């Protein structure tokens, strides 16, 4: 049964046509994943379907009894509410108060919350998104519309959400760049590309195959059209004149062939590193401690950052990963311990929430704050505008205000702004969240180039595959403590070590298996201290003795 229909929909923002005369529908029990490059109009399609915004042209219709629940990419709450009140907002009445609160607490617990009385205004953007997710899931809806639901979820939380949505008795329309999530949940993929919608049955893996077939057919049709056009132009050059109706129609067909657009080559983020001279001394942390109230996040951590360092930080949400980055970058101060920074060291910090961006600024002006000209690794200079072109911001969009951009586009601007400062130590807090797969791949390739030029990179990510590709050293955090600090092979090559810090499930298992298949096994030269620590923690978590494990 059809639940919602969109016909001949057109939607533009300033001079950008996001949707151009498209049709779209949602049927009962469909679980649709919307994908596409950042800024193509995925969130706009979701907002149109949810009735949050209106189209310029076209018609949207749905059944009178169809109920929609919409989870925005960046939810907003009224101040003064606690977490539980925010989670049940709009759902609670006298008849269901006890049951709805019990359901909300169970979901909040799954998403890492234990203190339900904490005020919502004290929460980070990621925590607010998880509370809003609970509020959405509590809704008795026919269609769930979710914009980036897996952002800010660790792997255990993502797997819980996957299972919940698989069992959900209703239709789902979701925007996400998480291909694992789409593989498990979606039964239809809709791609937004250059103002058009392309629908594919099946999950993400099937989409990749079907898209390749579609593009091959389109390329074959394009070659045939160009061959026909050459033949027709030769006829025209022989002196054809529109003396008859037949000849005039022939000439009109030639003009139509000329006006047909070629397939647009997929844009790729072209990243080149900026450069700066690094001093001899980098950053040294000595016995760093940090707590918020009675909650200890970091205790007695010491480390010296060296040139070429590639460090990944992993662990469940709320374990202190972001706090550690903020301390290193100088945004937060430790309660105890010392930080020594080399005199010439420049730190670039990419925040998870982009809270340090001024949304009222124009894109070009935000980059110009780092300088009118930016020196690249080969010694050449590029303008701020050229820098933005490498991040797929061309023409008029460079003069748009940041507040007009999509979530993924804002993250690209923020990354460009950080890189324009020519950092020697780059701190990245979940930089891959919200990036489309193409931009994600290019960004990881770019990080490899950076470390080859001596720039140190520290990256917090739940994307275990990405860390396996990039990081040489892994710091594992759990319950306010750094429980692992070893090479990528030592940590990611051991599924027990992954379970130790809460990275449960298929993605972690697949990563460990991939490393083993490529010969990247846990090194036999592990230090006694590391092995002892690992076994001690695994034993504490499982309750098993060494001989029983």
């Amino acid at each position: 049964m059809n639940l919602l229909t969109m016909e001949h929909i057109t939607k533009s923002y300033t001079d950008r046509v996001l949707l151009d005369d498209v049709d779209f529908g949602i049927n009962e029990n469909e679980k649709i994943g919307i994908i596409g490059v950042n800024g193509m109009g995925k969130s706009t399609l979701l907002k149109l379907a949810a009735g949050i915004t209106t189209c310029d042209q076209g018609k949207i219709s749905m059944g009178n009894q169809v109920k929609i629940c919409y989870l925005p990419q960046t939810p907003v709450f009224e101040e003064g509410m606690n977490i539980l009140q925010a989670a049940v907002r709009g759902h609670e009445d006298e008849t269901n108060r006890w049951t709805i609160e019990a359901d909300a607490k169970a979901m909040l617990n799954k998403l890492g919350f234990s203190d339900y009385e904490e005020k919502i205004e004290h929460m980070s953007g990621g925590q607010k998104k998880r509370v809003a997710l609970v509020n959405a899931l509590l809704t008795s809806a026919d269609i769930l519309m979710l914009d980036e639901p897996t952002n800010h979820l660790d792997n255990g939380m993502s797997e819980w959400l996957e299972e919940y949505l698989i069992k959900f008795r209703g239709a789902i329309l979701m925007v996400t760049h998480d291909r694992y999530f789409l593989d498990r949940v979606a039964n239809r993929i809709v791609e937004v590309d250059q103002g058009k919608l392309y629908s594919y049955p099946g999950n993400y893996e099937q989409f990749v195959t079907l898209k390749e077939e579609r593009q091959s057919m389109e390329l074959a049709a394009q070659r045939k059209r160009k061959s026909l056009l050459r033949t027709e132009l030769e006829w025209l050059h022989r002196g054809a004149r529109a003396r008859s109706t037949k000849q005039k129609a022939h000439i009109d067909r030639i003009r139509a062939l000329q006006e047909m657009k070629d397939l647009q080559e997929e844009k790729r983020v072209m990243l080149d590193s900026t450069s700066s001279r690094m001093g001899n001394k980098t950053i040294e942390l000595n016995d760093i401690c940090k707590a918020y109230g009675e909650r200890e996040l970091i205790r007695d951590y010491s480390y010296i950052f060296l040139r070429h360092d590639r460090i990944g930080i992993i662990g469940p949400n709320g374990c202190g990963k972001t706090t550690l980055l903020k301390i290193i970058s100088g945004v937060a101060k430790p309660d105890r311990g010392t930080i020594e920074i080399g005199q010439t060291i420049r730190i670039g910090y990419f925040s998870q929430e982009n809270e340090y961006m001024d949304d009222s600024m124009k894109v070009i002006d935000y980059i110009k704050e780092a300088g009118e000209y930016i020196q690249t690794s080969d010694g050449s200079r590029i303008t701020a505008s050229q820098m933005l072109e490498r991040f797929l911001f061309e023409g008029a969009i460079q003069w748009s205000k940041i507040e007009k951009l999509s979530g993924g586009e804002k993250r690209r601007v923020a990354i460009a702004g950080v890189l324009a400062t020519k950092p020697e130590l780059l701190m990245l807090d979940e930089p891959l969240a919200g990036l489309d797969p193409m931009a994600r791949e290019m960004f990881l390739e770019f990080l490899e180039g950076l470390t080859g030029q001596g720039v140190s990179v520290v990256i917090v990510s739940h994307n275990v595959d990405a860390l396996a590709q990039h990081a040489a050293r892994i710091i594992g955090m759990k319950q306010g403590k750094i429980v692992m600090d070893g090479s990528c092979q030592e940590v990611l090559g051991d599924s027990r070590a992954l379970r130790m810090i809460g990275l449960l499930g298929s993605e972690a298992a697949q990563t460990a298996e991939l490393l083993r298949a490529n010969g990247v096994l846990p090194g036999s030269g592990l230090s006694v201290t590391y092995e002892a620590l690992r076994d001690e923690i695994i034993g504490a978590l499982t309750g098993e003795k060494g001989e029983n494990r």
Side-chain angles (χ1 to χ4, degrees):
M1 184 178 76
N2 182 263
L3 300 177
L4 182 144
T5 301
M6 303 171 69
E7 300 174 281
H8 301 293
I9 299 298
T10 296
K11 181 66 177 180
S12 301
Y13 281 109
T14 60
D15 62 339
R16 300 171 66 191
V17 180
L18 296 178
L19 299 171
D20 183 12
D21 192 27
V22 300
D23 296 327
F24 177 67
I26 304 174
N27 297 317
E28 198 172 23
N29 299 321
E30 278 193 312
K31 294 178 170 60
I32 305 170
I34 304 175
I35 64 172
V37 176
N38 295 134
M40 282 293 177
K42 302 184 299 297
S43 293
T44 298
L45 178 62
L46 208 66
K47 289 177 181 177
L48 286 168
I52 304 300
T53 189
T54 57
C55 56
D56 301 332
Q57 296 176 26
K59 177 184 177 184
I60 301 174
S61 56
M62 65 178 181
N64 292 331
Q65 304 301 317
V66 174
K67 187 174 181 181
I68 291 174
C69 178
Y70 168 68
L71 173 70
Q73 193 172 127
T74 307
V76 177
F77 292 96
E78 297 176 8
E79 291 190 1
M81 292 190 294
N82 60 35
I83 291 174
L84 182 59
Q85 290 169 335
V88 301
R89 181 182 58 173
H91 306 313
E92 189 179 37
D93 58 39
E94 291 300 322
T95 62
N96 71 353
R97 179 179 178 184
W98 297 109
T99 56
I100 199 74
E101 287 190 358
D103 291 342
K105 288 178 180 179
M107 289 185 182
L108 288 168
N109 191 45
K110 291 287 187 181
L111 296 180
F113 296 101
S114 56
D115 183 1
Y116 312 124
E117 299 300 320
E118 192 166 356
K119 295 297 183 183
I120 195 71
E121 57 263 31
H122 298 160
M123 299 289 98
S124 68
Q127 290 171 317
K128 289 178 181 177
K129 181 66 176 278
R130 301 205 302 272
V131 173
L133 177 59
V134 171
N135 184 270
L137 297 181
L138 287 171
T139 305
S140 177
D142 299 293
I143 309 176
L144 268 180
M145 298 188 179
L146 310 173
D147 198 348
E148 297 285 6
T150 61
N151 279 5
H152 313 292
L153 301 186
D154 61 31
N155 290 289
M157 295 174 186
S158 291
E159 289 195 347
W160 171 80
L161 181 60
E162 286 172 8
E163 295 297 334
Y164 185 93
L165 295 182
I166 288 170
K167 297 174 183 175
F168 177 71
R169 295 182 179 179
I172 300 172
L173 185 64
M174 55 189 168
V175 172
T176 179
H177 295 300
D178 189 332
R179 61 186 67 186
Y180 294 100
F181 193 81
L182 289 171
D183 264 339
R184 289 208 63 204
V185 178
N187 55 29
R188 178 181 162 202
I189 301 292
V190 173
E191 183 183 24
V192 186
D193 186 21
Q194 304 296 334
K196 299 299 182 182
L197 301 182
Y198 301 92
S199 181
Y200 305 85
N203 62 11
Y204 186 85
E205 184 178 356
Q206 293 165 311
F207 150 76
V208 172
T209 302
L210 292 171
K211 180 180 178 180
E212 186 176 356
E213 292 175 0
R214 175 180 68 83
Q215 289 181 324
S216 296
M217 291 173 63
E218 289 179 347
L219 284 170
Q222 179 176 292
R223 286 192 293 267
K224 184 177 180 180
R225 175 178 62 82
K226 287 188 173 182
S227 177
L228 177 61
L229 181 59
R230 281 194 298 270
T231 302
E232 297 288 29
L233 286 173
E234 288 173 3
W235 173 81
L236 194 61
H237 292 155
R238 288 197 296 267
R241 298 288 182 270
R243 295 190 182 99
S244 67
T245 302
K246 187 175 181 180
Q247 283 192 326
K248 185 175 184 300
H250 198 162
I251 292 172
D252 288 342
R253 285 199 301 272
I254 294 173
R255 287 174 178 164
L257 285 171
Q258 287 177 312
E259 290 173 359
M260 289 177 68
K261 293 181 180 179
D262 287 346
L263 288 177
Q264 291 200 9
E265 192 175 322
E266 289 190 351
K267 294 182 177 180
R268 294 175 68 85
V269 182
M270 299 302 294
L271 302 180
D272 184 21
S273 67
T274 56
S275 62
S276 173
R277 190 173 186 85
M278 180 183 280
N280 293 326
K281 188 173 183 179
T282 56
I283 294 180
E284 183 174 350
L285 306 180
N286 295 294
D287 299 323
I288 296 297
C289 298
K290 182 67 177 179
Y292 288 101
E294 296 182 358
R295 188 181 175 201
E296 188 178 53
L297 291 179
I298 300 169
R299 183 174 66 187
D300 298 329
Y301 182 66
S302 300
Y303 190 79
I304 299 175
F305 290 91
L306 305 174
R307 289 185 58 152
H308 305 282
D309 262 349
R310 292 179 296 155
I311 300 171
I313 303 178
I314 60 177
N317 282 326
C319 68
K321 303 184 300 293
T322 295
T323 300
L324 180 59
L325 251 61
K326 287 182 176 180
I327 289 173
I328 296 169
S329 60
V331 174
K333 295 190 178 299
D335 299 332
R336 297 194 308 276
T338 60
I339 303 175
E340 298 179 35
I341 303 176
Q343 289 184 351
T344 62
I345 296 301
R346 185 181 290 110
I347 300 174
Y349 174 50
F350 175 80
S351 163
Q352 184 178 151
E353 306 300 334
N354 302 332
E355 65 266 37
Y356 307 112
M357 293 181 74
D358 183 353
D359 277 5
S360 66
M361 291 183 70
K362 293 178 179 177
V363 173
I364 186 74
D365 292 335
Y366 183 79
I367 302 301
K368 281 183 176 179
E369 281 197 334
E372 288 283 344
Y373 294 93
I374 300 144
Q375 186 171 345
T376 62
S377 57
D378 61 4
S380 61
R381 294 201 312 170
I382 61 173
T383 65
S385 179
Q386 289 171 323
M387 178 82 168
L388 283 168
E389 286 174 359
R390 298 183 180 202
F391 283 80
L392 306 185
F393 293 104
E394 299 176 355
I397 194 172
Q398 294 187 4
W399 299 93
S400 298
K401 289 189 176 181
I402 292 173
E403 63 190 14
K404 299 292 185 182
L405 302 180
S406 71
E409 287 175 317
K410 286 181 180 179
R411 295 182 77 79
R412 289 212 310 268
V413 172
I415 291 172
V418 171
L419 296 177
T421 64
K422 303 185 287 291
E424 292 95 2
L425 176 59
L426 188 57
M427 318 292 294
L428 303 168
D429 194 355
E430 295 287 0
L432 304 179
L435 292 183
D436 59 75
M438 188 192 309
R440 187 183 302 139
E441 179 186 342
M442 291 300 296
F443 183 66
L444 289 172
E445 289 177 8
F446 170 67
L447 288 184
E448 289 294 327
L450 269 184
T451 51
Q453 296 165 30
V455 177
S456 299
V457 178
V458 181
I459 178 170
V460 167
S461 181
H462 288 121
N463 191 317
V464 184
D465 286 350
L467 293 178
Q469 293 177 47
H470 171 73
R473 191 170 192 85
I474 300 290
I475 294 172
M477 301 183 68
K478 184 177 177 68
Q479 296 178 349
K481 300 184 178 96
I482 292 170
V483 295
M484 288 184 295
D485 189 346
S487 71
C488 179
Q489 293 90 341
E490 291 171 350
V491 178
L492 298 186
D494 189 334
S495 58
R496 292 183 301 169
L498 293 171
R499 287 195 294 271
M500 179 170 62
I501 55 169
L503 297 178
L504 304 174
S506 58
E507 186 174 355
Q510 288 170 3
T511 300
E513 188 60 35
L514 178 65
L515 289 167
R516 290 192 187 91
N518 291 326
V520 185
L521 297 171
S524 58
L526 291 175
S527 68
V528 174
T529 302
Y530 174 80
E531 286 188 0
L533 173 62
R534 184 188 65 187
D535 290 343
E536 179 183 342
I537 296 177
I538 293 174
L541 291 176
T542 62
E544 297 176 349
K545 301 297 183 182
E547 61 270 18
N548 295 326
R549 282 197 297 274

